[in-house]
Amino acid sequence: MVHSRGLLTLAVTLLTAGPAALADETTTINPSANFGTWEGWGTSLAWWAKAFGTQTALADVFFTRNTVTVNGHALPGLGLNVIRYNAGASSTNKDPDGATMVVSPSIKASRQIDTFWLDWTSTDPNSTSWSWTVDANQRNMMSLAIARGANLVELFSNSPVWWMCYNLNPSGSTDGSSDNLESWNWDQHAVYLANVAQYAATHWGVKFTSVEAFNEPSATYWVGPTGTQEGCHFDVSTMSNVIPFLRSELNSRGLTSTIVSASDEETYDLAVSTFGSLTSTALADIARVNVHGYQYGGGRRDTLYSNVSGKGKKLWNSEYGEGDATGASLVSNLMLDFVWLHPTAWVYWQVLDVAGWGLITADNDAKTIGAPSQKYFVLAQFTRHIRPGMRIIDGGSSYTVSAYDATAKKLVIVAVNTAAAQIINFDLSRFTTPGVNGALVQRWATQIGTSGTQYTAFNDTFISGTKFWSNFGQNVIMTFEVSGVVI
Ligand SMILES: *[C@@H]1O[C@H](CO)[C@@H](O)[C@H](O)[C@H]1NC(C)=O
Ligand SMILES: *[C@@H]1O[C@H](CO)[C@@H](O)[C@H](O)[C@H]1NC(C)=O
Ligand SMILES: *[C@@H]1O[C@H](CO)[C@@H](O)[C@H](O)[C@H]1NC(C)=O
């Protein structure tokens, strides 16, 4: 998927920083590009935080860059600063008509998130229609994350509260392809999210950056009777009705600087389609487009970027996940995102999850934690080095990502080699000052696969004139930090 190269000689594989004449590949970093200021890396909370939200070591490993021991493994903290808090849709109380939530037989309790709004009797968050003691674990992990530096916090919904749904089932409508939010509850869904945002500001010290009312809303797989999680289909026309209510309910509570994001579609192509179909009123209320990365190697990332940036809005990849524990899929799709989508934040779905999906394997039902995968270390190659405030520039190839820290005059390069082992040259000749000749370039390496090097640091690479180079084994990802660089 990334780049392909021919075979190389044995002599080259034995070099660590050999003469440039033997180089196989060169990428020229282009500092004149500006794909925006990086906002951060993150994770959604929801299920894993409901299961493990009291464990401070997990907050340390995900939300700091310290070395943290988890289940006997000393890990480099990921330093995530974006969290997505899931406003739940589930409760066990009766509604004023005596009805109770309809529960899909396939949903695990660990995937039901408690709602704060128990019934429609009152919109007043101080009334007994509201319970602010529920969802303690997810709220606790949110607080732990913020205390460690998470500064971008999104409130998101997977489904409206069950009693706002036609079939009272927060896993989706009965056919999956029709709206489940009752039309007379469009504003109530907005009231729910706005009240949570306001209560969080006044009682939890949490200022949500953004609020998102939908999750993969154009999908037709949110089928209540067979659902395995909270989910809800929304027609685009319904999105266009709900978004202005959300903007207005936030405003009326004084939350004018809390932005509305939408629509968290599953794929880049659905995001393009939804973005092009929302009413101009709804579009004007959206400050950021969130898209999920489940189209993997497919889809028109470039069209979405051009549409969204053309309207002056931000763009996040707000949810990505897959079951490839090697990190190969993650790095391939992240490279595509950096080259074509240009998000300013990137959010992994569940950092703790079943083997493959989790960066660290975990069982939310048995409440057990296993080992980190190579994918954990592959992601660390990005998250620990491309930091909030850096300018994303052009790495010059499909296998290179680059960011620049103007304050520290530091250049960060993350590159992957999927071909046979080879030297890759990094040409810095387009910088005004390409570092100091002979100066150290720190590097870190991780083997993509089922085992091997895990975020190992080396001080063996040096600037030579206007370039440096490194010998990459096959399926190795490396990060470089170059000091004294001026654009
Ligand atoms: C809820 O009660 C608090 C404290 O008594 C008060 O400050 C707040 O305004 C009330 N909220 C509403 C929506 O009435
Ligand atoms: C999105 O971009 C495509 C390709 O550039 C363009 O044809 C289309 O009109 C754009 N749509 C919107 C809503 O900006
Ligand atoms: C590399 O050098 C830097 C700067 O002197 C130092 O902080 C770091 O610990 C060194 N790393 C290794 C792996 O030796």
Side-chain angles (χ1 to χ4, degrees):
M1 167 111 4
V2 191
H3 79 306
S4 64
R5 288 284 307 156
L7 295 172
L8 80 172
T9 64
L10 181 60
V12 173
T13 62
L14 297 173
L15 290 169
T16 49
L22 291 179
D24 281 1
E25 181 81 26
T26 295
T27 188
T28 303
I29 313 295
N30 174 9
S32 63
N34 188 349
F35 296 118
T37 302
W38 190 247
E39 294 184 87
W41 302 92
T43 181
S44 293
L45 297 178
W47 310 335
W48 75 268
K50 173 177 176 172
F52 300 103
T54 58
Q55 299 200 17
T56 52
L58 294 176
D60 291 339
V61 82
F62 296 126
F63 305 112
T64 78
R65 285 186 288 166
N66 301 335
T67 300
V68 182
T69 299
V70 175
N71 190 22
H73 303 267
L75 302 177
L78 294 180
L80 307 179
N81 68 301
V82 180
I83 48 174
R84 300 185 76 230
Y85 177 84
N86 181 202
S90 298
S91 68
T92 55
N93 58 287
K94 290 188 165 122
D95 74 13
D97 291 343
T100 51
M101 178 170 72
V102 173
V103 178
S104 163
S106 304
I107 193 170
K108 293 175 179 172
S110 59
R111 293 181 171 192
Q112 294 176 302
I113 302 293
D114 288 331
T115 183
F116 300 102
W117 199 1
L118 305 177
D119 67 62
W120 64 75
T121 313
S122 174
T123 59
D124 179 351
N126 291 335
S127 75
T128 54
S129 288
W130 296 75
S131 170
W132 295 103
T133 58
V134 302
D135 201 26
N137 277 7
Q138 192 190 181
R139 285 189 286 116
N140 193 63
M141 185 52 73
M142 174 163 62
S143 298
L144 294 176
I146 291 169
R148 284 157 181 74
N151 61 336
L152 298 176
V153 189
E154 177 157 87
L155 177 65
F156 80 101
S157 166
N158 281 329
S159 165
V161 181
W162 65 270
W163 53 258
M164 296 183 196
C165 297
Y166 286 113
N167 64 0
L168 307 184
N169 186 337
S171 290
S173 60
T174 303
D175 63 5
S177 55
S178 54
D179 277 11
N180 207 20
L181 176 62
E182 293 161 334
S183 56
W184 55 94
N185 278 326
W186 286 344
D187 189 18
Q188 302 304 292
H189 184 42
V191 165
Y192 174 49
L193 295 172
N195 268 0
V196 173
Q198 185 188 36
Y199 196 91
T202 52
H203 291 77
W204 305 335
V206 175
K207 181 162 183 352
F208 284 107
T209 312
S210 53
V211 182
E212 161 61 290
F214 319 114
N215 176 60
E216 301 174 8
S218 291
T220 55
Y221 45 68
W222 303 123
V223 180
T226 57
T228 58
Q229 57 194 80
E230 293 180 352
C232 187
H233 172 90
F234 290 81
D235 288 343
V236 182
S237 58
T238 309
M239 296 180 218
S240 286
N241 284 307
V242 170
I243 287 166
F245 279 127
L246 180 56
R247 182 65 272 158
S248 148
E249 296 295 350
L250 289 168
N251 290 352
S252 68
R253 288 163 181 76
L255 300 172
T256 51
S257 64
T258 300
I259 67 171
V260 172
S261 55
S263 290
D264 278 85
E265 294 287 11
E266 174 204 8
T267 66
Y268 307 107
D269 291 346
L270 277 172
V272 167
S273 160
T274 295
F275 189 76
S277 306
L278 288 168
T279 61
S280 56
T281 306
L283 213 51
D285 286 335
I286 295 170
R288 188 209 306 132
V289 169
N290 281 358
V291 67
H292 296 184
Y294 296 112
Q295 208 166 358
Y296 302 122
R300 294 306 299 260
R301 288 167 166 89
D302 53 342
T303 306
L304 185 59
Y305 174 66
S306 99
N307 284 182
V308 173
S309 60
K311 291 275 188 339
K313 300 182 192 301
K314 290 188 174 178
L315 178 58
W316 281 13
N317 185 334
S318 56
E319 191 180 313
Y320 175 86
E322 28 68 7
D324 175 5
T326 69
S329 302
L330 178 129
V331 73
S332 164
N333 293 312
L334 247 180
M335 288 287 169
L336 288 170
D337 278 353
F338 272 100
V339 172
W340 299 107
L341 183 69
H342 308 300
T344 52
W346 195 92
V347 182
Y348 196 75
W349 165 227
Q350 295 283 286
V351 285
L352 288 184
D353 205 340
V354 295
W357 280 80
L359 304 177
I360 299 174
T361 301
D363 183 327
N364 292 337
D365 301 293
K367 304 238 169 59
T368 52
I369 295 178
S373 62
Q374 290 300 107
K375 177 154 71 172
Y376 178 98
F377 300 95
V378 167
L379 187 56
Q381 295 277 154
F382 293 87
T383 64
R384 290 176 58 86
H385 300 274
I386 298 176
R387 301 298 301 165
M390 289 186 181
R391 166 171 157 183
I392 305 301
I393 58 175
D394 179 2
S397 57
S398 61
Y399 56 86
T400 308
V401 171
S402 189
Y404 180 68
D405 180 336
T407 309
K409 294 190 170 56
K410 182 169 75 178
L411 177 67
V412 175
I413 296 170
V414 184
V416 64
N417 176 45
T418 57
Q422 63 177 335
I423 287 177
I424 298 178
N425 273 308
F426 298 92
D427 183 333
L428 310 184
S429 61
R430 295 180 66 175
F431 288 85
T432 306
T433 308
V436 179
N437 188 36
L440 174 69
V441 176
Q442 287 185 259
R443 81 176 170 102
W444 293 260
T446 293
Q447 180 69 50
I448 296 164
T450 52
S451 63
T453 304
Q454 297 177 331
Y455 191 72
T456 306
F458 299 89
N459 281 350
D460 59 0
T461 303
F462 302 91
I463 299 277
S464 174
T466 59
K467 66 167 75 168
F468 71 91
W469 56 88
S470 191
N471 188 13
F472 282 68
Q474 185 166 23
N475 295 326
V476 168
I477 181 167
M478 293 207 221
T479 304
F480 304 91
E481 289 199 357
V482 190
S483 301
V485 177
V486 179
I487 282 189

Short mmCIF file of all heavy atoms in Angstrom, two decimals, residues 187-233:
data_model
loop_
_atom_site.label_atom_id
_atom_site.label_comp_id
_atom_site.label_asym_id
_atom_site.label_seq_id
_atom_site.Cartn_x
_atom_site.Cartn_y
_atom_site.Cartn_z
N ASP A 187 -35.64 18.21 19.26
CA ASP A 187 -35.07 19.21 20.16
C ASP A 187 -34.66 18.58 21.50
O ASP A 187 -33.69 19.01 22.13
CB ASP A 187 -36.08 20.35 20.38
CG ASP A 187 -35.48 21.53 21.13
OD1 ASP A 187 -34.23 21.63 21.19
OD2 ASP A 187 -36.25 22.35 21.65
N GLN A 188 -35.40 17.55 21.93
CA GLN A 188 -35.07 16.91 23.22
C GLN A 188 -33.69 16.25 23.18
O GLN A 188 -32.96 16.26 24.17
CB GLN A 188 -36.14 15.87 23.59
CG GLN A 188 -37.54 16.42 23.67
CD GLN A 188 -37.65 17.59 24.65
OE1 GLN A 188 -37.52 17.42 25.85
NE2 GLN A 188 -37.85 18.79 24.12
N HIS A 189 -33.33 15.70 22.03
CA HIS A 189 -31.98 15.11 21.90
C HIS A 189 -30.93 16.21 22.09
O HIS A 189 -29.90 16.00 22.76
CB HIS A 189 -31.86 14.45 20.51
CG HIS A 189 -30.56 13.72 20.28
ND1 HIS A 189 -29.96 12.91 21.23
CD2 HIS A 189 -29.74 13.69 19.18
CE1 HIS A 189 -28.83 12.41 20.73
NE2 HIS A 189 -28.66 12.87 19.50
N ALA A 190 -31.22 17.38 21.54
CA ALA A 190 -30.30 18.52 21.69
C ALA A 190 -30.29 19.03 23.13
O ALA A 190 -29.23 19.35 23.68
CB ALA A 190 -30.71 19.64 20.74
N VAL A 191 -31.47 19.06 23.77
CA VAL A 191 -31.56 19.48 25.18
C VAL A 191 -30.72 18.54 26.05
O VAL A 191 -29.99 18.98 26.95
CB VAL A 191 -33.04 19.48 25.65
CG1 VAL A 191 -33.14 19.55 27.17
CG2 VAL A 191 -33.81 20.63 24.99
N TYR A 192 -30.83 17.25 25.77
CA TYR A 192 -30.05 16.27 26.55
C TYR A 192 -28.55 16.59 26.50
O TYR A 192 -27.89 16.74 27.53
CB TYR A 192 -30.32 14.85 26.02
CG TYR A 192 -29.46 13.78 26.67
CD1 TYR A 192 -29.35 13.71 28.06
CD2 TYR A 192 -28.76 12.84 25.90
CE1 TYR A 192 -28.57 12.73 28.67
CE2 TYR A 192 -27.98 11.87 26.50
CZ TYR A 192 -27.88 11.81 27.88
OH TYR A 192 -27.11 10.85 28.48
N LEU A 193 -28.04 16.71 25.28
CA LEU A 193 -26.59 16.92 25.14
C LEU A 193 -26.17 18.28 25.71
O LEU A 193 -25.13 18.39 26.38
CB LEU A 193 -26.20 16.79 23.67
CG LEU A 193 -26.42 15.38 23.09
CD1 LEU A 193 -26.18 15.38 21.58
CD2 LEU A 193 -25.52 14.35 23.77
N ALA A 194 -26.99 19.30 25.49
CA ALA A 194 -26.65 20.63 25.99
C ALA A 194 -26.68 20.67 27.52
O ALA A 194 -25.84 21.31 28.15
CB ALA A 194 -27.59 21.67 25.40
N ASN A 195 -27.65 19.97 28.11
CA ASN A 195 -27.69 19.92 29.58
C ASN A 195 -26.48 19.19 30.14
O ASN A 195 -25.92 19.59 31.17
CB ASN A 195 -28.97 19.22 30.06
CG ASN A 195 -30.10 20.20 30.32
OD1 ASN A 195 -29.94 21.40 30.15
ND2 ASN A 195 -31.26 19.68 30.74
N VAL A 196 -26.07 18.11 29.50
CA VAL A 196 -24.87 17.40 29.97
C VAL A 196 -23.66 18.32 29.86
O VAL A 196 -22.84 18.41 30.79
CB VAL A 196 -24.64 16.10 29.17
CG1 VAL A 196 -23.30 15.45 29.57
CG2 VAL A 196 -25.79 15.11 29.40
N ALA A 197 -23.55 19.03 28.75
CA ALA A 197 -22.40 19.94 28.57
C ALA A 197 -22.41 21.03 29.64
O ALA A 197 -21.36 21.38 30.20
CB ALA A 197 -22.42 20.54 27.17
N GLN A 198 -23.60 21.58 29.91
CA GLN A 198 -23.69 22.64 30.92
C GLN A 198 -23.39 22.10 32.31
O GLN A 198 -22.65 22.72 33.10
CB GLN A 198 -25.09 23.26 30.89
CG GLN A 198 -25.20 24.46 31.84
CD GLN A 198 -26.62 24.95 31.96
OE1 GLN A 198 -27.57 24.16 31.94
NE2 GLN A 198 -26.77 26.26 32.07
N TYR A 199 -23.95 20.93 32.64
CA TYR A 199 -23.72 20.35 33.96
C TYR A 199 -22.24 20.04 34.15
O TYR A 199 -21.66 20.26 35.22
CB TYR A 199 -24.57 19.09 34.13
CG TYR A 199 -24.69 18.63 35.57
CD1 TYR A 199 -25.74 19.07 36.37
CD2 TYR A 199 -23.74 17.77 36.13
CE1 TYR A 199 -25.85 18.66 37.69
CE2 TYR A 199 -23.84 17.36 37.46
CZ TYR A 199 -24.91 17.81 38.23
OH TYR A 199 -25.00 17.40 39.54
N ALA A 200 -21.62 19.54 33.10
CA ALA A 200 -20.18 19.22 33.16
C ALA A 200 -19.36 20.48 33.44
O ALA A 200 -18.40 20.45 34.21
CB ALA A 200 -19.72 18.58 31.85
N ALA A 201 -19.77 21.58 32.83
CA ALA A 201 -19.03 22.83 33.02
C ALA A 201 -19.16 23.33 34.45
O ALA A 201 -18.19 23.78 35.06
CB ALA A 201 -19.52 23.89 32.03
N THR A 202 -20.38 23.24 35.01
CA THR A 202 -20.59 23.83 36.34
C THR A 202 -20.27 22.87 37.48
O THR A 202 -19.92 23.31 38.57
CB THR A 202 -22.05 24.31 36.50
OG1 THR A 202 -22.92 23.24 36.15
CG2 THR A 202 -22.34 25.50 35.59
N HIS A 203 -20.37 21.56 37.24
CA HIS A 203 -20.19 20.61 38.35
C HIS A 203 -18.95 19.74 38.24
O HIS A 203 -18.46 19.23 39.23
CB HIS A 203 -21.41 19.70 38.48
CG HIS A 203 -22.64 20.40 38.96
ND1 HIS A 203 -23.41 21.20 38.15
CD2 HIS A 203 -23.23 20.45 40.18
CE1 HIS A 203 -24.43 21.70 38.84
NE2 HIS A 203 -24.33 21.25 40.08
N TRP A 204 -18.49 19.48 37.04
CA TRP A 204 -17.34 18.57 36.90
C TRP A 204 -16.07 19.31 36.50
O TRP A 204 -15.00 18.69 36.38
CB TRP A 204 -17.61 17.49 35.83
CG TRP A 204 -18.86 16.69 36.02
CD1 TRP A 204 -19.53 16.45 37.19
CD2 TRP A 204 -19.59 15.99 35.00
NE1 TRP A 204 -20.63 15.67 36.96
CE2 TRP A 204 -20.69 15.36 35.62
CE3 TRP A 204 -19.41 15.82 33.62
CZ2 TRP A 204 -21.61 14.59 34.92
CZ3 TRP A 204 -20.32 15.04 32.92
CH2 TRP A 204 -21.41 14.44 33.56
N GLY A 205 -16.19 20.60 36.24
CA GLY A 205 -15.02 21.34 35.78
C GLY A 205 -14.57 20.90 34.39
O GLY A 205 -13.40 21.05 34.03
N VAL A 206 -15.51 20.37 33.60
CA VAL A 206 -15.16 19.89 32.25
C VAL A 206 -15.79 20.82 31.22
O VAL A 206 -17.01 20.97 31.17
CB VAL A 206 -15.69 18.46 32.02
CG1 VAL A 206 -15.44 18.03 30.58
CG2 VAL A 206 -15.04 17.50 33.00
N LYS A 207 -14.96 21.45 30.43
CA LYS A 207 -15.48 22.31 29.37
C LYS A 207 -15.36 21.54 28.06
O LYS A 207 -14.26 21.37 27.53
CB LYS A 207 -14.69 23.62 29.31
CG LYS A 207 -15.22 24.53 28.23
CD LYS A 207 -14.82 25.96 28.38
CE LYS A 207 -15.45 26.86 27.31
NZ LYS A 207 -16.18 26.16 26.23
N PHE A 208 -16.50 21.08 27.56
CA PHE A 208 -16.45 20.34 26.30
C PHE A 208 -16.08 21.29 25.16
O PHE A 208 -16.62 22.38 25.05
CB PHE A 208 -17.80 19.66 26.00
CG PHE A 208 -18.03 18.43 26.84
CD1 PHE A 208 -18.94 18.44 27.88
CD2 PHE A 208 -17.31 17.27 26.59
CE1 PHE A 208 -19.15 17.30 28.66
CE2 PHE A 208 -17.50 16.13 27.37
CZ PHE A 208 -18.43 16.14 28.40
N THR A 209 -15.14 20.83 24.34
CA THR A 209 -14.72 21.59 23.16
C THR A 209 -15.81 21.55 22.10
O THR A 209 -16.03 22.52 21.38
CB THR A 209 -13.45 20.94 22.57
OG1 THR A 209 -12.51 20.73 23.62
CG2 THR A 209 -12.85 21.80 21.47
N SER A 210 -16.44 20.38 22.00
CA SER A 210 -17.39 20.15 20.91
C SER A 210 -18.45 19.14 21.35
O SER A 210 -18.22 18.35 22.28
CB SER A 210 -16.65 19.63 19.67
OG SER A 210 -15.86 18.50 20.00
N VAL A 211 -19.58 19.20 20.66
CA VAL A 211 -20.67 18.25 20.91
C VAL A 211 -21.11 17.67 19.57
O VAL A 211 -21.31 18.40 18.59
CB VAL A 211 -21.87 18.92 21.61
CG1 VAL A 211 -22.96 17.90 21.91
CG2 VAL A 211 -21.44 19.61 22.90
N GLU A 212 -21.25 16.36 19.54
CA GLU A 212 -21.64 15.63 18.32
C GLU A 212 -22.88 14.80 18.63
O GLU A 212 -22.88 14.00 19.56
CB GLU A 212 -20.45 14.75 17.88
CG GLU A 212 -20.77 13.60 16.93
CD GLU A 212 -21.36 14.04 15.62
OE1 GLU A 212 -22.52 14.50 15.63
OE2 GLU A 212 -20.68 13.89 14.57
N ALA A 213 -23.95 15.03 17.87
CA ALA A 213 -25.24 14.39 18.15
C ALA A 213 -25.43 13.05 17.44
O ALA A 213 -26.41 12.35 17.71
CB ALA A 213 -26.37 15.34 17.75
N PHE A 214 -24.52 12.70 16.52
CA PHE A 214 -24.72 11.50 15.69
C PHE A 214 -23.48 10.61 15.71
O PHE A 214 -22.37 11.08 15.94
CB PHE A 214 -24.99 11.88 14.22
CG PHE A 214 -25.90 13.08 14.06
CD1 PHE A 214 -25.43 14.26 13.50
CD2 PHE A 214 -27.23 13.02 14.48
CE1 PHE A 214 -26.26 15.37 13.36
CE2 PHE A 214 -28.07 14.12 14.34
CZ PHE A 214 -27.57 15.30 13.79
N ASN A 215 -23.70 9.34 15.38
CA ASN A 215 -22.60 8.42 15.18
C ASN A 215 -22.92 7.51 14.00
O ASN A 215 -23.85 6.72 14.08
CB ASN A 215 -22.37 7.57 16.44
CG ASN A 215 -21.29 6.53 16.22
OD1 ASN A 215 -20.16 6.85 15.93
ND2 ASN A 215 -21.66 5.25 16.32
N GLU A 216 -22.16 7.64 12.93
CA GLU A 216 -22.39 6.84 11.72
C GLU A 216 -23.88 6.85 11.35
O GLU A 216 -24.50 5.79 11.18
CB GLU A 216 -21.81 5.43 11.90
CG GLU A 216 -20.32 5.49 12.19
CD GLU A 216 -19.65 4.15 12.54
OE1 GLU A 216 -20.29 3.10 12.41
OE2 GLU A 216 -18.46 4.18 12.91
N PRO A 217 -24.46 8.05 11.24
CA PRO A 217 -25.92 8.17 11.12
C PRO A 217 -26.49 7.67 9.80
O PRO A 217 -27.67 7.32 9.75
CB PRO A 217 -26.15 9.68 11.27
CG PRO A 217 -24.87 10.31 10.81
CD PRO A 217 -23.79 9.37 11.25
N SER A 218 -25.71 7.67 8.71
CA SER A 218 -26.26 7.21 7.43
C SER A 218 -26.25 5.70 7.30
O SER A 218 -26.84 5.15 6.37
CB SER A 218 -25.48 7.83 6.26
OG SER A 218 -25.75 9.21 6.19
N ALA A 219 -25.56 5.03 8.22
CA ALA A 219 -25.48 3.57 8.15
C ALA A 219 -26.87 2.96 8.31
O ALA A 219 -27.76 3.56 8.91
CB ALA A 219 -24.56 3.05 9.25
N THR A 220 -27.03 1.76 7.75
CA THR A 220 -28.31 1.04 7.89
C THR A 220 -28.12 -0.21 8.75
O THR A 220 -28.95 -1.11 8.75
CB THR A 220 -28.86 0.66 6.52
OG1 THR A 220 -27.86 -0.08 5.80
CG2 THR A 220 -29.23 1.90 5.71
N TYR A 221 -26.99 -0.25 9.46
CA TYR A 221 -26.73 -1.44 10.31
C TYR A 221 -27.09 -1.23 11.77
O TYR A 221 -26.80 -2.08 12.61
CB TYR A 221 -25.28 -1.92 10.16
CG TYR A 221 -24.21 -0.84 10.20
CD1 TYR A 221 -23.94 -0.12 11.35
CD2 TYR A 221 -23.45 -0.56 9.06
CE1 TYR A 221 -22.95 0.85 11.38
CE2 TYR A 221 -22.46 0.41 9.06
CZ TYR A 221 -22.22 1.12 10.24
OH TYR A 221 -21.23 2.08 10.25
N TRP A 222 -27.67 -0.10 12.13
CA TRP A 222 -28.12 0.08 13.51
C TRP A 222 -29.53 -0.50 13.63
O TRP A 222 -30.52 0.22 13.62
CB TRP A 222 -28.10 1.55 13.92
CG TRP A 222 -26.76 2.22 13.77
CD1 TRP A 222 -26.49 3.32 13.02
CD2 TRP A 222 -25.52 1.84 14.38
NE1 TRP A 222 -25.15 3.65 13.13
CE2 TRP A 222 -24.53 2.77 13.96
CE3 TRP A 222 -25.14 0.81 15.26
CZ2 TRP A 222 -23.19 2.69 14.38
CZ3 TRP A 222 -23.81 0.73 15.66
CH2 TRP A 222 -22.87 1.65 15.23
N VAL A 223 -29.57 -1.83 13.71
CA VAL A 223 -30.83 -2.57 13.74
C VAL A 223 -31.11 -2.98 15.19
O VAL A 223 -30.40 -3.82 15.75
CB VAL A 223 -30.75 -3.82 12.83
CG1 VAL A 223 -32.07 -4.59 12.86
CG2 VAL A 223 -30.39 -3.42 11.39
N GLY A 224 -32.13 -2.37 15.79
CA GLY A 224 -32.40 -2.57 17.20
C GLY A 224 -32.49 -4.02 17.64
O GLY A 224 -31.81 -4.44 18.58
N PRO A 225 -33.30 -4.84 16.98
CA PRO A 225 -33.51 -6.21 17.47
C PRO A 225 -32.25 -7.07 17.47
O PRO A 225 -32.19 -8.06 18.20
CB PRO A 225 -34.56 -6.77 16.51
CG PRO A 225 -35.28 -5.55 16.00
CD PRO A 225 -34.23 -4.49 15.90
N THR A 226 -31.26 -6.74 16.64
CA THR A 226 -30.06 -7.57 16.58
C THR A 226 -28.80 -6.80 16.99
O THR A 226 -27.69 -7.32 16.90
CB THR A 226 -29.83 -8.10 15.15
OG1 THR A 226 -29.76 -6.98 14.27
CG2 THR A 226 -30.94 -9.04 14.72
N GLY A 227 -28.96 -5.57 17.43
CA GLY A 227 -27.81 -4.70 17.68
C GLY A 227 -26.92 -5.19 18.82
O GLY A 227 -27.39 -5.83 19.76
N THR A 228 -25.65 -4.87 18.71
CA THR A 228 -24.69 -5.25 19.76
C THR A 228 -24.13 -4.02 20.49
O THR A 228 -23.24 -4.14 21.31
CB THR A 228 -23.51 -6.03 19.15
OG1 THR A 228 -22.88 -5.21 18.15
CG2 THR A 228 -23.98 -7.34 18.51
N GLN A 229 -24.61 -2.84 20.14
CA GLN A 229 -24.16 -1.63 20.80
C GLN A 229 -25.23 -0.56 20.64
O GLN A 229 -26.22 -0.77 19.95
CB GLN A 229 -22.82 -1.16 20.21
CG GLN A 229 -22.84 -0.92 18.71
CD GLN A 229 -21.42 -0.81 18.14
OE1 GLN A 229 -20.74 -1.80 17.90
NE2 GLN A 229 -20.99 0.42 17.92
N GLU A 230 -25.06 0.58 21.30
CA GLU A 230 -25.98 1.69 21.09
C GLU A 230 -25.72 2.27 19.70
O GLU A 230 -24.56 2.45 19.31
CB GLU A 230 -25.77 2.76 22.17
CG GLU A 230 -26.18 2.29 23.57
CD GLU A 230 -25.99 3.35 24.65
OE1 GLU A 230 -25.41 4.41 24.36
OE2 GLU A 230 -26.43 3.09 25.79
N GLY A 231 -26.78 2.57 18.95
CA GLY A 231 -26.60 3.11 17.61
C GLY A 231 -27.93 3.60 17.06
O GLY A 231 -28.99 3.19 17.52
N CYS A 232 -27.87 4.48 16.08
CA CYS A 232 -29.11 5.06 15.56
C CYS A 232 -28.89 5.65 14.16
O CYS A 232 -27.97 6.44 13.96
CB CYS A 232 -29.59 6.17 16.49
SG CYS A 232 -31.20 6.84 16.06
N HIS A 233 -29.75 5.27 13.25
CA HIS A 233 -29.74 5.88 11.91
C HIS A 233 -30.46 7.24 11.95
O HIS A 233 -31.48 7.38 12.62
CB HIS A 233 -30.46 4.96 10.92
CG HIS A 233 -30.67 5.59 9.57
ND1 HIS A 233 -29.75 5.46 8.56
CD2 HIS A 233 -31.68 6.36 9.08
CE1 HIS A 233 -30.18 6.13 7.49
NE2 HIS A 233 -31.35 6.70 7.80
#
